[in-house]
Amino acid sequence: MAAASGAEPSVLKKFFADSSAPEPVITFLLQPRSDGGFGLESVSDFASVFKETDYEDKLQSEVLDKVEAHKTDLIALARLRAAWQLARSELTKACKKRVDGAPDPDWDTPLPQDDELRRSEEFNEAYDYYACEVEAAPA
């Protein structure tokens, strides 16, 4: 959850798109306040803008009620709730890791075999690399 940067809005847009939030709602959330939008700049903004105790009500009153086509859209509300919960858990995990100074456990997890094979093939294509079999390699 980096600070706002040039790449962060596209990350945020992808985050909302992955949550299947309706496009008009995503547009409202990303639109600057000066243009009548909500003005989010990062996923951590979204996770932090509402308190845990009232985020469901605020998603309805501060977001969906301002997007005419989705004022009563329960599916959109459910998707925003799920996105907020995911953003909040990611922010909490990142903050805890920063405080504890513990390495990210995902770094220790090996890649799935198909990912490893795909990445290896991409590397070989990009660098015109051919690995010799162990028996054929010079000593």
Side-chain angles (χ1 to χ4, degrees):
M1 311 287 162
S5 67
E8 191 67 30
S10 64
V11 170
L12 184 58
K13 185 170 181 133
K14 182 176 178 347
F15 174 80
F16 285 124
D18 288 348
S19 72
S20 300
E23 189 61 37
V25 173
I26 296 172
T27 301
F28 172 75
L29 288 167
L30 299 180
Q31 194 173 24
R33 281 198 172 287
S34 60
D35 295 338
F38 201 76
L40 293 178
E41 295 178 356
S42 68
V43 177
S44 62
D45 284 352
F46 181 58
S48 303
V49 73
F50 303 122
K51 292 186 289 184
E52 203 164 342
T53 56
D54 65 353
Y55 76 95
E56 293 182 48
D57 294 333
K58 293 290 186 180
L59 285 171
Q60 180 65 54
S61 65
E62 300 293 325
V63 178
L64 290 180
D65 284 351
K66 306 227 168 111
V67 179
E68 192 64 39
H70 297 282
K71 282 186 174 190
T72 59
D73 189 347
L74 294 177
I75 300 298
L77 179 59
R79 290 174 177 164
L80 283 177
R81 272 196 317 252
W84 185 89
Q85 290 167 348
L86 177 62
R88 189 64 175 198
S89 70
E90 290 296 317
L91 179 64
T92 301
K93 185 170 42 169
C95 290
K96 181 172 175 21
K97 184 178 78 174
R98 202 173 312 141
V99 168
D100 293 346
D104 188 351
D106 292 338
W107 287 105
D108 295 332
T109 306
L111 287 172
Q113 191 170 9
D114 57 328
D115 280 354
E116 186 177 342
L117 181 61
R118 180 184 51 78
R119 288 176 188 225
S120 178
E121 288 171 355
E122 287 173 359
F123 176 86
N124 292 342
E125 283 179 26
Y127 295 101
D128 198 25
Y129 178 77
Y130 176 74
C132 295
E133 295 298 323
V134 175
E135 294 81 19

